[in-house]
PDB file of all heavy atoms in Angstrom:
ATOM      1  N   GLN A 649      -9.165  -8.745  -7.518  1.00 86.00           N
ATOM      2  CA  GLN A 649      -8.500  -9.782  -8.312  1.00 86.00           C
ATOM      3  C   GLN A 649      -9.165  -9.880  -9.671  1.00 86.00           C
ATOM      4  O   GLN A 649     -10.384  -9.877  -9.759  1.00 86.00           O
ATOM      5  CB  GLN A 649      -8.598 -11.127  -7.591  1.00 86.00           C
ATOM      6  CG  GLN A 649      -7.763 -12.199  -8.263  1.00 86.00           C
ATOM      7  CD  GLN A 649      -7.879 -13.551  -7.573  1.00 86.00           C
ATOM      8  OE1 GLN A 649      -8.944 -14.141  -7.566  1.00 86.00           O
ATOM      9  NE2 GLN A 649      -6.790 -14.024  -7.014  1.00 86.00           N
ATOM     10  N   PHE A 650      -8.363  -9.932 -10.712  1.00 87.00           N
ATOM     11  CA  PHE A 650      -8.945 -10.105 -12.048  1.00 87.00           C
ATOM     12  C   PHE A 650      -7.946 -10.806 -12.967  1.00 87.00           C
ATOM     13  O   PHE A 650      -6.741 -10.756 -12.734  1.00 87.00           O
ATOM     14  CB  PHE A 650      -9.395  -8.764 -12.645  1.00 87.00           C
ATOM     15  CG  PHE A 650      -8.294  -7.749 -12.801  1.00 87.00           C
ATOM     16  CD1 PHE A 650      -7.603  -7.624 -14.000  1.00 87.00           C
ATOM     17  CD2 PHE A 650      -7.933  -6.914 -11.754  1.00 87.00           C
ATOM     18  CE1 PHE A 650      -6.584  -6.683 -14.154  1.00 87.00           C
ATOM     19  CE2 PHE A 650      -6.925  -5.980 -11.892  1.00 87.00           C
ATOM     20  CZ  PHE A 650      -6.245  -5.863 -13.095  1.00 87.00           C
ATOM     21  N   PRO A 651      -8.459 -11.471 -13.991  1.00 90.00           N
ATOM     22  CA  PRO A 651      -7.560 -12.155 -14.911  1.00 90.00           C
ATOM     23  C   PRO A 651      -7.032 -11.189 -15.965  1.00 90.00           C
ATOM     24  O   PRO A 651      -7.729 -10.247 -16.340  1.00 90.00           O
ATOM     25  CB  PRO A 651      -8.469 -13.200 -15.564  1.00 90.00           C
ATOM     26  CG  PRO A 651      -9.839 -12.610 -15.498  1.00 90.00           C
ATOM     27  CD  PRO A 651      -9.869 -11.654 -14.348  1.00 90.00           C
ATOM     28  N   TYR A 652      -5.835 -11.396 -16.404  1.00 93.00           N
ATOM     29  CA  TYR A 652      -5.310 -10.619 -17.542  1.00 93.00           C
ATOM     30  C   TYR A 652      -4.321 -11.491 -18.296  1.00 93.00           C
ATOM     31  O   TYR A 652      -3.433 -12.081 -17.689  1.00 93.00           O
ATOM     32  CB  TYR A 652      -4.636  -9.331 -17.072  1.00 93.00           C
ATOM     33  CG  TYR A 652      -4.155  -8.483 -18.235  1.00 93.00           C
ATOM     34  CD1 TYR A 652      -5.078  -7.910 -19.120  1.00 93.00           C
ATOM     35  CD2 TYR A 652      -2.811  -8.290 -18.473  1.00 93.00           C
ATOM     36  CE1 TYR A 652      -4.655  -7.155 -20.209  1.00 93.00           C
ATOM     37  CE2 TYR A 652      -2.372  -7.528 -19.551  1.00 93.00           C
ATOM     38  CZ  TYR A 652      -3.300  -6.970 -20.416  1.00 93.00           C
ATOM     39  OH  TYR A 652      -2.884  -6.233 -21.496  1.00 93.00           O
ATOM     40  N   ARG A 653      -4.478 -11.553 -19.625  1.00 93.00           N
ATOM     41  CA  ARG A 653      -3.761 -12.530 -20.429  1.00 93.00           C
ATOM     42  C   ARG A 653      -3.940 -13.898 -19.742  1.00 93.00           C
ATOM     43  O   ARG A 653      -5.046 -14.240 -19.344  1.00 93.00           O
ATOM     44  CB  ARG A 653      -2.303 -12.106 -20.625  1.00 93.00           C
ATOM     45  CG  ARG A 653      -2.261 -10.780 -21.394  1.00 93.00           C
ATOM     46  CD  ARG A 653      -0.922 -10.225 -21.809  1.00 93.00           C
ATOM     47  NE  ARG A 653       0.295 -10.877 -21.453  1.00 93.00           N
ATOM     48  CZ  ARG A 653       1.474 -10.274 -21.334  1.00 93.00           C
ATOM     49  NH1 ARG A 653       1.554  -8.968 -21.551  1.00 93.00           N
ATOM     50  NH2 ARG A 653       2.555 -10.922 -21.043  1.00 93.00           N
ATOM     51  N   ASP A 654      -2.890 -14.669 -19.572  1.00 92.00           N
ATOM     52  CA  ASP A 654      -3.142 -15.919 -18.853  1.00 92.00           C
ATOM     53  C   ASP A 654      -2.686 -15.818 -17.398  1.00 92.00           C
ATOM     54  O   ASP A 654      -2.289 -16.795 -16.779  1.00 92.00           O
ATOM     55  CB  ASP A 654      -2.479 -17.096 -19.577  1.00 92.00           C
ATOM     56  CG  ASP A 654      -1.031 -16.774 -19.909  1.00 92.00           C
ATOM     57  OD1 ASP A 654      -0.624 -15.611 -19.661  1.00 92.00           O
ATOM     58  OD2 ASP A 654      -0.302 -17.653 -20.403  1.00 92.00           O
ATOM     59  N   HIS A 655      -2.766 -14.604 -16.849  1.00 95.00           N
ATOM     60  CA  HIS A 655      -2.321 -14.365 -15.484  1.00 95.00           C
ATOM     61  C   HIS A 655      -3.470 -13.979 -14.559  1.00 95.00           C
ATOM     62  O   HIS A 655      -4.555 -13.654 -15.015  1.00 95.00           O
ATOM     63  CB  HIS A 655      -1.251 -13.270 -15.477  1.00 95.00           C
ATOM     64  CG  HIS A 655       0.052 -13.735 -16.042  1.00 95.00           C
ATOM     65  ND1 HIS A 655       0.207 -14.016 -17.388  1.00 95.00           N
ATOM     66  CD2 HIS A 655       1.244 -13.990 -15.463  1.00 95.00           C
ATOM     67  CE1 HIS A 655       1.453 -14.420 -17.603  1.00 95.00           C
ATOM     68  NE2 HIS A 655       2.100 -14.421 -16.449  1.00 95.00           N
ATOM     69  N   VAL A 656      -3.165 -13.989 -13.276  1.00 93.00           N
ATOM     70  CA  VAL A 656      -4.132 -13.527 -12.284  1.00 93.00           C
ATOM     71  C   VAL A 656      -3.509 -12.306 -11.614  1.00 93.00           C
ATOM     72  O   VAL A 656      -2.392 -12.380 -11.087  1.00 93.00           O
ATOM     73  CB  VAL A 656      -4.392 -14.617 -11.221  1.00 93.00           C
ATOM     74  CG1 VAL A 656      -5.337 -14.092 -10.141  1.00 93.00           C
ATOM     75  CG2 VAL A 656      -4.955 -15.872 -11.874  1.00 93.00           C
ATOM     76  N   ILE A 657      -4.232 -11.206 -11.683  1.00 93.00           N
ATOM     77  CA  ILE A 657      -3.698  -9.970 -11.109  1.00 93.00           C
ATOM     78  C   ILE A 657      -4.369  -9.723  -9.758  1.00 93.00           C
ATOM     79  O   ILE A 657      -5.589  -9.745  -9.659  1.00 93.00           O
ATOM     80  CB  ILE A 657      -4.020  -8.767 -12.037  1.00 93.00           C
ATOM     81  CG1 ILE A 657      -3.591  -9.034 -13.472  1.00 93.00           C
ATOM     82  CG2 ILE A 657      -3.452  -7.476 -11.477  1.00 93.00           C
ATOM     83  CD1 ILE A 657      -2.147  -8.876 -13.764  1.00 93.00           C
ATOM     84  N   ASN A 658      -3.568  -9.489  -8.736  1.00 93.00           N
ATOM     85  CA  ASN A 658      -4.084  -9.079  -7.431  1.00 93.00           C
ATOM     86  C   ASN A 658      -3.658  -7.641  -7.205  1.00 93.00           C
ATOM     87  O   ASN A 658      -2.465  -7.349  -7.123  1.00 93.00           O
ATOM     88  CB  ASN A 658      -3.496  -9.949  -6.306  1.00 93.00           C
ATOM     89  CG  ASN A 658      -4.007 -11.360  -6.358  1.00 93.00           C
ATOM     90  OD1 ASN A 658      -5.221 -11.587  -6.373  1.00 93.00           O
ATOM     91  ND2 ASN A 658      -3.104 -12.327  -6.395  1.00 93.00           N
ATOM     92  N   LEU A 659      -4.652  -6.775  -7.141  1.00 92.00           N
ATOM     93  CA  LEU A 659      -4.330  -5.358  -7.015  1.00 92.00           C
ATOM     94  C   LEU A 659      -4.713  -4.875  -5.617  1.00 92.00           C
ATOM     95  O   LEU A 659      -5.869  -4.972  -5.213  1.00 92.00           O
ATOM     96  CB  LEU A 659      -5.135  -4.609  -8.078  1.00 92.00           C
ATOM     97  CG  LEU A 659      -4.656  -3.245  -8.511  1.00 92.00           C
ATOM     98  CD1 LEU A 659      -5.434  -2.805  -9.730  1.00 92.00           C
ATOM     99  CD2 LEU A 659      -4.785  -2.223  -7.447  1.00 92.00           C
ATOM    100  N   LEU A 660      -3.743  -4.387  -4.896  1.00 89.00           N
ATOM    101  CA  LEU A 660      -3.996  -3.909  -3.544  1.00 89.00           C
ATOM    102  C   LEU A 660      -4.078  -2.394  -3.566  1.00 89.00           C
ATOM    103  O   LEU A 660      -3.184  -1.727  -4.076  1.00 89.00           O
ATOM    104  CB  LEU A 660      -2.845  -4.326  -2.612  1.00 89.00           C
ATOM    105  CG  LEU A 660      -2.397  -5.787  -2.685  1.00 89.00           C
ATOM    106  CD1 LEU A 660      -1.203  -6.009  -1.763  1.00 89.00           C
ATOM    107  CD2 LEU A 660      -3.539  -6.691  -2.272  1.00 89.00           C
TER     108      LEU A 660
END
Side-chain angles (χ1 to χ4, degrees):
Q649 188 181 65
F650 60 94
Y652 183 66
R653 297 185 357 205
D654 49 355
H655 288 69
V656 176
I657 308 281
N658 291 306
L659 202 170
L660 312 177

